[in-house]
Amino acid sequence: MGDGYYRNGMTQTPIERLSLRHRVFSNAERGRVWVIGHRGAMGHCPENTFASFDRALELGADWIELDVHLTRDGALAVIHDEKVDRTTDGRGFVRDHTLAELKQLDAGSWFGPEFAAQRIPTLDEVLLWARGRHTLVDVEIKNAPIYYTGIEEAVVESLDRTAMAEQVIVISFDHRSVQRVKMLDSRIVTGVLYAARPTDAGLGLARAAKADAVLPHWAYVTLEDVQTAHAAGLAVAPWATSDPEILHRLIGAGVDAIGTNHPDVLRQILTESPNVSHAKESDPAAEAGR
């Protein structure tokens, strides 16, 4: 890695703890593209596991994205699907298992036998892992087709317990959940996910949910819409592609961050793009002065 890269996962020195809001929304940072490891580095490792999160940082991700569901006993499990069937050796809905039951499941062998030791993490566990590495976290609340009463409160409480409220962005396709999180704690940066091209570049969706960012599917990103969002003070962070041609187009449109299953692919493109500012080349001394 280049001289600007720190193995703790961010380009700041360990003593720095700049908030996500400062890093992403500062005028000085406009033009930088942040690499978000979608479910870690799910193109290389079993998604939403510590193996995947560690690998994402090794491959150049600036921060990691994950998904949360509520267990039967009210814990926040880091898993994408409402059922455990696809990514573990278990069966059934997350909501029908206790945390202890989920911890017994193998969350890695489906991807490869070398990952057999992987287990489903909790949100607290991942946040503490990220805190120790000065890494930002993108927390997606999964709240449909199953709706979890109190999941927003549980997420905010987890952020408080781990002192990570200002080091995350909380996002969801359920924009009422996004609105609820902002009502519970205005410090938390939030974003609305969608797979469409709204007539107003997503401004209305963000405004209604009191969100700070719009996260459209990559197919609906245009230069015009990015400029409109930026003019309204919103960050734009599309998801989720590893296709070099598409990544080049998104970078050209001026987005602030990109979710990708292969952080190494996006990092390489950014490294080879001299006109694009990106996190791994930032100056820690300059960061401290901002």
Side-chain angles (χ1 to χ4, degrees):
M1 297 295 179
D3 291 341
Y5 178 76
Y6 287 81
R7 294 197 63 82
N8 61 16
M10 286 300 297
T11 55
Q12 61 183 26
T13 57
I15 61 171
E16 306 292 341
R17 284 194 62 79
L18 299 176
S19 70
L20 183 146
R21 186 180 299 279
H22 180 99
R23 293 172 182 166
V24 177
F25 294 90
S26 167
N27 288 333
E29 303 299 333
R30 187 65 77 203
R32 169 174 294 176
V33 179
W34 300 85
V35 179
I36 303 175
H38 186 228
R39 306 180 210 167
M42 63 177 287
H44 298 274
C45 299
E47 64 187 62
N48 280 326
T49 62
F50 279 114
S52 190
F53 299 143
D54 282 328
R55 188 65 175 144
L57 298 190
E58 291 170 0
L59 294 175
D62 293 304
W63 75 72
I64 56 105
E65 183 266 356
L66 56 79
D67 312 275
V68 292
H69 291 261
L70 273 180
T71 67
R72 192 173 77 208
D73 50 349
L76 287 164
V78 175
I79 184 172
H80 180 270
D81 299 357
E82 66 270 17
K83 288 187 172 183
V84 301
D85 302 45
R86 181 177 64 86
T87 57
T88 78
D89 58 349
R91 295 291 181 271
F93 290 99
V94 175
R95 68 176 181 182
D96 292 334
H97 292 75
T98 65
L99 177 60
E101 290 168 343
L102 291 179
K103 284 292 188 181
Q104 298 302 310
L105 301 179
D106 176 349
S109 290
W110 67 273
F111 195 92
E114 67 273 29
F115 297 108
Q118 296 300 306
R119 295 293 180 262
I120 296 174
T122 65
L123 181 58
D124 276 25
E125 289 169 348
V126 179
L127 291 176
L128 289 172
W129 168 91
R131 182 176 175 81
R133 290 158 179 77
H134 303 275
T135 296
L136 304 176
V137 182
D138 194 326
V139 179
E140 180 180 345
I141 294 177
K142 307 298 283 190
N143 209 28
I146 294 173
Y147 293 91
Y148 300 102
T149 301
I151 191 169
E152 300 88 358
E153 286 82 358
V155 167
V156 172
E157 289 168 5
S158 177
L159 297 177
D160 283 340
R161 278 194 302 272
T162 57
M164 284 287 285
E166 295 185 86
Q167 304 297 321
V168 305
I169 177 171
V170 176
I171 63 175
S172 184
F173 284 100
D174 183 349
H175 297 179
R176 292 192 180 190
S177 280
V178 174
Q179 181 187 54
R180 178 63 179 158
V181 168
K182 184 65 78 172
M183 290 173 62
L184 289 168
D185 190 337
S186 61
R187 296 175 301 164
I188 299 172
V189 174
T190 59
V192 288
L193 284 159
Y194 53 91
R197 190 184 179 201
T199 57
D200 62 354
L203 270 61
L205 296 175
R207 189 176 302 116
K210 303 187 183 305
D212 306 287
V214 292
L215 292 89
H217 184 270
W218 63 262
Y220 300 100
V221 174
T222 68
L223 173 62
E224 176 187 0
D225 286 354
V226 172
Q227 291 175 337
T228 299
H230 282 169
L234 297 170
V236 182
W239 53 278
T241 180
S242 301
D243 184 303
E245 182 177 349
I246 296 169
L247 291 171
H248 276 289
R249 179 169 70 80
L250 295 174
I251 293 167
V255 302
D256 301 287
I258 302 172
T260 177
N261 299 343
H262 298 82
D264 49 325
V265 174
L266 178 53
R267 176 59 58 206
Q268 185 64 32
I269 290 172
L270 291 172
T271 300
E272 295 172 353
S273 301
N275 296 324
V276 179
S277 173
H278 56 102
K280 296 307 181 198
E281 291 182 349
S282 67
D283 179 1
E287 291 278 4
R290 290 177 185 146

